Amino acid sequence: KYDVEIREIGSKRSLDQNAMLWGVISEISKKLYGDISEKEDIYLQLLAMSGAKYEFIKVEKRVIEEKALDKLGIRNYKVIKENEEENSVILMVFYGSSTFNTKEMNQLIETTLKYASNCGVDVDEDYWEGVLNAK
């Protein structure tokens, strides 16, 4: 016996969208901090602001101190609560944009462009409109 389902495959974000996202994030970092050193923190803020998917996990503090999260592929997280008795922390772990479909990526980019504009970064809306609609 077999059960077959045929459905449309959702499109993934484009490489142009990804390049544009990181370009704008770099410009935000330069505007706010004078260099691109804070772009990862800005990215994390933008994920939260755009309503990106996330999960909560509990880990021992040593996992963070030993940078073991990187080995697990976890890069986009925020410490929510520390428990001194258990020597643990609760993390809000965001899915990265590499897992986003086009719709989710568009939401992140729209949030990024609004944030950039509010920070005084010049954003060419006409140019980026074409990137946003790339399939």
Side-chain angles (χ1 to χ4, degrees), residues 16-118:
D16 284 344
Q17 287 176 317
N18 190 57
M20 177 278 232
L21 173 71
W22 284 102
V24 174
I25 289 172
S26 293
E27 291 304 311
I28 293 168
S29 184
K30 287 178 193 174
K31 183 75 170 183
L32 297 178
Y33 304 100
D35 57 33
I36 61 169
S37 63
E38 301 299 318
K39 67 182 185 176
E40 294 293 331
D41 287 337
I42 293 168
Y43 174 63
L44 184 61
Q45 292 173 27
L46 292 166
L47 287 172
M49 291 167 59
S50 69
K53 296 179 280 188
Y54 62 87
E55 294 182 26
F56 291 105
I57 64 169
K58 182 178 179 180
V59 297
E60 292 180 20
K61 281 186 180 180
R62 70 169 179 77
V63 172
I64 295 173
E65 293 162 359
E66 296 171 4
K67 300 191 187 291
L69 290 174
D70 285 343
K71 294 174 187 168
L72 298 172
I74 298 173
R75 296 180 305 187
N76 310 309
Y77 66 89
K78 180 175 157 180
V79 176
I80 299 299
K81 183 179 180 183
E82 294 187 36
N83 185 328
E84 295 296 330
E85 284 181 19
E86 295 180 7
N87 203 27
S88 66
V89 294
I90 295 178
L91 304 175
M92 183 178 205
V93 179
F94 289 92
Y95 288 71
S97 63
S98 63
T99 66
F100 289 6
N101 61 32
T102 304
K103 181 180 177 184
E104 293 165 327
M105 191 66 172
N106 283 347
Q107 178 62 42
L108 177 58
I109 290 171
E110 287 173 13
T111 300
T112 302
L113 292 175
K114 286 178 189 172
Y115 186 74
S117 179
N118 290 340

